[in-house]
mmCIF file with all atom_site columns, all heavy atoms in Angstrom:
data_model
loop_
_atom_site.group_PDB
_atom_site.id
_atom_site.type_symbol
_atom_site.label_atom_id
_atom_site.label_alt_id
_atom_site.label_comp_id
_atom_site.label_asym_id
_atom_site.label_entity_id
_atom_site.label_seq_id
_atom_site.pdbx_PDB_ins_code
_atom_site.Cartn_x
_atom_site.Cartn_y
_atom_site.Cartn_z
_atom_site.occupancy
_atom_site.B_iso_or_equiv
_atom_site.pdbx_formal_charge
_atom_site.auth_seq_id
_atom_site.auth_comp_id
_atom_site.auth_asym_id
_atom_site.auth_atom_id
_atom_site.pdbx_PDB_model_num
ATOM 1  N N   . LEU R 1 66 ? -30.695 22.220 29.796 1.00 93.00 ? 610 LEU R N   1
ATOM 2  C CA  . LEU R 1 66 ? -29.229 22.204 30.047 1.00 93.00 ? 610 LEU R CA  1
ATOM 3  C C   . LEU R 1 66 ? -28.575 21.016 29.373 1.00 93.00 ? 610 LEU R C   1
ATOM 4  O O   . LEU R 1 66 ? -27.495 21.107 28.819 1.00 93.00 ? 610 LEU R O   1
ATOM 5  C CB  . LEU R 1 66 ? -28.930 22.195 31.568 1.00 93.00 ? 610 LEU R CB  1
ATOM 6  C CG  . LEU R 1 66 ? -29.251 23.524 32.311 1.00 93.00 ? 610 LEU R CG  1
ATOM 7  C CD1 . LEU R 1 66 ? -29.045 23.284 33.812 1.00 93.00 ? 610 LEU R CD1 1
ATOM 8  C CD2 . LEU R 1 66 ? -28.340 24.642 31.854 1.00 93.00 ? 610 LEU R CD2 1
ATOM 9  N N   . ALA R 1 67 ? -29.223 19.863 29.518 1.00 94.00 ? 611 ALA R N   1
ATOM 10 C CA  . ALA R 1 67 ? -28.703 18.613 28.900 1.00 94.00 ? 611 ALA R CA  1
ATOM 11 C C   . ALA R 1 67 ? -28.642 18.790 27.364 1.00 94.00 ? 611 ALA R C   1
ATOM 12 O O   . ALA R 1 67 ? -27.723 18.337 26.715 1.00 94.00 ? 611 ALA R O   1
ATOM 13 C CB  . ALA R 1 67 ? -29.572 17.424 29.237 1.00 94.00 ? 611 ALA R CB  1
ATOM 14 N N   . LEU R 1 68 ? -29.632 19.457 26.796 1.00 94.00 ? 612 LEU R N   1
ATOM 15 C CA  . LEU R 1 68 ? -29.672 19.688 25.340 1.00 94.00 ? 612 LEU R CA  1
ATOM 16 C C   . LEU R 1 68 ? -28.472 20.550 24.920 1.00 94.00 ? 612 LEU R C   1
ATOM 17 O O   . LEU R 1 68 ? -27.815 20.274 23.927 1.00 94.00 ? 612 LEU R O   1
ATOM 18 C CB  . LEU R 1 68 ? -30.975 20.406 24.960 1.00 94.00 ? 612 LEU R CB  1
ATOM 19 C CG  . LEU R 1 68 ? -31.159 20.797 23.483 1.00 94.00 ? 612 LEU R CG  1
ATOM 20 C CD1 . LEU R 1 68 ? -31.127 19.562 22.622 1.00 94.00 ? 612 LEU R CD1 1
ATOM 21 C CD2 . LEU R 1 68 ? -32.437 21.590 23.320 1.00 94.00 ? 612 LEU R CD2 1
ATOM 22 N N   . ILE R 1 69 ? -28.155 21.592 25.711 1.00 93.00 ? 613 ILE R N   1
ATOM 23 C CA  . ILE R 1 69 ? -27.027 22.407 25.409 1.00 93.00 ? 613 ILE R CA  1
ATOM 24 C C   . ILE R 1 69 ? -25.693 21.622 25.527 1.00 93.00 ? 613 ILE R C   1
ATOM 25 O O   . ILE R 1 69 ? -24.775 21.743 24.721 1.00 93.00 ? 613 ILE R O   1
ATOM 26 C CB  . ILE R 1 69 ? -26.971 23.658 26.344 1.00 93.00 ? 613 ILE R CB  1
ATOM 27 C CG1 . ILE R 1 69 ? -28.220 24.512 26.045 1.00 93.00 ? 613 ILE R CG1 1
ATOM 28 C CG2 . ILE R 1 69 ? -25.700 24.479 26.086 1.00 93.00 ? 613 ILE R CG2 1
ATOM 29 C CD1 . ILE R 1 69 ? -28.385 25.672 27.055 1.00 93.00 ? 613 ILE R CD1 1
ATOM 30 N N   . VAL R 1 70 ? -25.635 20.800 26.595 1.00 94.00 ? 614 VAL R N   1
ATOM 31 C CA  . VAL R 1 70 ? -24.467 19.929 26.813 1.00 94.00 ? 614 VAL R CA  1
ATOM 32 C C   . VAL R 1 70 ? -24.139 19.115 25.578 1.00 94.00 ? 614 VAL R C   1
ATOM 33 O O   . VAL R 1 70 ? -22.982 19.061 25.123 1.00 94.00 ? 614 VAL R O   1
ATOM 34 C CB  . VAL R 1 70 ? -24.645 19.090 28.056 1.00 94.00 ? 614 VAL R CB  1
ATOM 35 C CG1 . VAL R 1 70 ? -23.596 18.001 28.100 1.00 94.00 ? 614 VAL R CG1 1
ATOM 36 C CG2 . VAL R 1 70 ? -24.501 19.946 29.294 1.00 94.00 ? 614 VAL R CG2 1
ATOM 37 N N   . VAL R 1 71 ? -25.141 18.418 25.055 1.00 93.00 ? 615 VAL R N   1
ATOM 38 C CA  . VAL R 1 71 ? -24.839 17.527 23.897 1.00 93.00 ? 615 VAL R CA  1
ATOM 39 C C   . VAL R 1 71 ? -24.583 18.352 22.623 1.00 93.00 ? 615 VAL R C   1
ATOM 40 O O   . VAL R 1 71 ? -23.968 17.807 21.660 1.00 93.00 ? 615 VAL R O   1
ATOM 41 C CB  . VAL R 1 71 ? -25.931 16.506 23.658 1.00 93.00 ? 615 VAL R CB  1
ATOM 42 C CG1 . VAL R 1 71 ? -26.201 15.665 24.917 1.00 93.00 ? 615 VAL R CG1 1
ATOM 43 C CG2 . VAL R 1 71 ? -27.255 17.241 23.279 1.00 93.00 ? 615 VAL R CG2 1
ATOM 44 N N   . GLY R 1 72 ? -25.067 19.558 22.557 1.00 91.00 ? 616 GLY R N   1
ATOM 45 C CA  . GLY R 1 72 ? -24.878 20.383 21.381 1.00 91.00 ? 616 GLY R CA  1
ATOM 46 C C   . GLY R 1 72 ? -23.591 21.187 21.351 1.00 91.00 ? 616 GLY R C   1
ATOM 47 O O   . GLY R 1 72 ? -23.171 21.662 20.273 1.00 91.00 ? 616 GLY R O   1
ATOM 48 N N   . VAL R 1 73 ? -22.942 21.367 22.523 1.00 91.00 ? 617 VAL R N   1
ATOM 49 C CA  . VAL R 1 73 ? -21.730 22.178 22.582 1.00 91.00 ? 617 VAL R CA  1
ATOM 50 C C   . VAL R 1 73 ? -20.680 21.633 21.559 1.00 91.00 ? 617 VAL R C   1
ATOM 51 O O   . VAL R 1 73 ? -20.039 22.415 20.847 1.00 91.00 ? 617 VAL R O   1
ATOM 52 C CB  . VAL R 1 73 ? -21.181 22.252 23.970 1.00 91.00 ? 617 VAL R CB  1
ATOM 53 C CG1 . VAL R 1 73 ? -19.733 22.794 24.018 1.00 91.00 ? 617 VAL R CG1 1
ATOM 54 C CG2 . VAL R 1 73 ? -22.074 23.118 24.857 1.00 91.00 ? 617 VAL R CG2 1
ATOM 55 N N   . PRO R 1 74 ? -20.317 20.327 21.562 1.00 91.00 ? 618 PRO R N   1
ATOM 56 C CA  . PRO R 1 74 ? -19.259 19.862 20.645 1.00 91.00 ? 618 PRO R CA  1
ATOM 57 C C   . PRO R 1 74 ? -19.614 20.126 19.191 1.00 91.00 ? 618 PRO R C   1
ATOM 58 O O   . PRO R 1 74 ? -18.684 20.329 18.383 1.00 91.00 ? 618 PRO R O   1
ATOM 59 C CB  . PRO R 1 74 ? -19.225 18.318 20.930 1.00 91.00 ? 618 PRO R CB  1
ATOM 60 C CG  . PRO R 1 74 ? -19.767 18.160 22.311 1.00 91.00 ? 618 PRO R CG  1
ATOM 61 C CD  . PRO R 1 74 ? -20.797 19.226 22.453 1.00 91.00 ? 618 PRO R CD  1
ATOM 62 N N   . LEU R 1 75 ? -20.870 20.134 18.856 1.00 88.00 ? 619 LEU R N   1
ATOM 63 C CA  . LEU R 1 75 ? -21.239 20.416 17.429 1.00 88.00 ? 619 LEU R CA  1
ATOM 64 C C   . LEU R 1 75 ? -21.185 21.881 17.050 1.00 88.00 ? 619 LEU R C   1
ATOM 65 O O   . LEU R 1 75 ? -21.134 22.224 15.888 1.00 88.00 ? 619 LEU R O   1
ATOM 66 C CB  . LEU R 1 75 ? -22.689 19.905 17.164 1.00 88.00 ? 619 LEU R CB  1
ATOM 67 C CG  . LEU R 1 75 ? -22.925 18.390 17.425 1.00 88.00 ? 619 LEU R CG  1
ATOM 68 C CD1 . LEU R 1 75 ? -24.370 18.063 17.143 1.00 88.00 ? 619 LEU R CD1 1
ATOM 69 C CD2 . LEU R 1 75 ? -22.001 17.564 16.572 1.00 88.00 ? 619 LEU R CD2 1
#
Side-chain angles (χ1 to χ4, degrees):
L610 288 173
L612 178 62
I613 297 173
V614 164
V615 301
V617 167
L619 300 179

